[in-house]
Amino acid sequence: MQTRLEQIIDEQLTGMIEHGAPADLVEWFAQPIPARVIAEMLGLPERERPDYQSRILAMLSLDTAEEALREARDGLYGGLAELVRDRGPDSR
């Protein structure tokens, strides 16, 4: 996992450099890296990762409206439940 973590960090830093100044470390580093690592550890399909990231950010924001928070929570929990079902004992 260390090698993959180093790759993810390199990708994020490269993207931040290419984006140019000013650099927002929260946007480019602190938020996406843990989410990307957790998504990979869970085996979340690549196509679902942007939705996963946006739902997590909505849930962590103090500015998210109640309805949007509920939608983010339900979408995240539903997606994770589906992932667990797909990887259950019958899928081996």
Side-chain angles (χ1 to χ4, degrees):
M1 194 70 209
Q2 179 179 342
T3 301
R4 183 61 187 132
L5 180 57
E6 289 171 358
Q7 290 172 336
I8 290 170
I9 291 170
D10 286 345
E11 289 170 10
Q12 289 302 129
L13 290 175
T14 299
M16 185 173 65
I17 291 166
E18 289 174 355
H19 182 265
D24 185 337
L25 290 176
V26 172
E27 178 184 340
W28 284 95
F29 201 80
Q31 288 176 342
I33 290 176
R36 287 184 64 184
V37 170
I38 292 168
E40 288 200 18
M41 291 174 73
L42 291 173
L44 197 65
E46 190 72 38
R47 69 184 180 283
E48 294 178 21
R49 292 179 187 184
D51 287 339
Y52 164 81
Q53 174 77 10
S54 66
R55 288 175 178 143
I56 292 291
L57 293 177
M59 291 174 67
L60 293 175
S61 174
L62 298 175
D63 298 327
T64 303
E66 189 174 337
E67 181 61 28
L69 180 60
R70 208 175 359 264
E71 289 175 11
R73 180 201 62 208
D74 293 348
L76 179 65
Y77 291 171
L80 293 176
E82 184 177 321
L83 184 65
V84 169
R85 273 194 308 275
D86 291 348
R87 306 251 162 103
D90 296 336
S91 69
R92 293 181 190 169

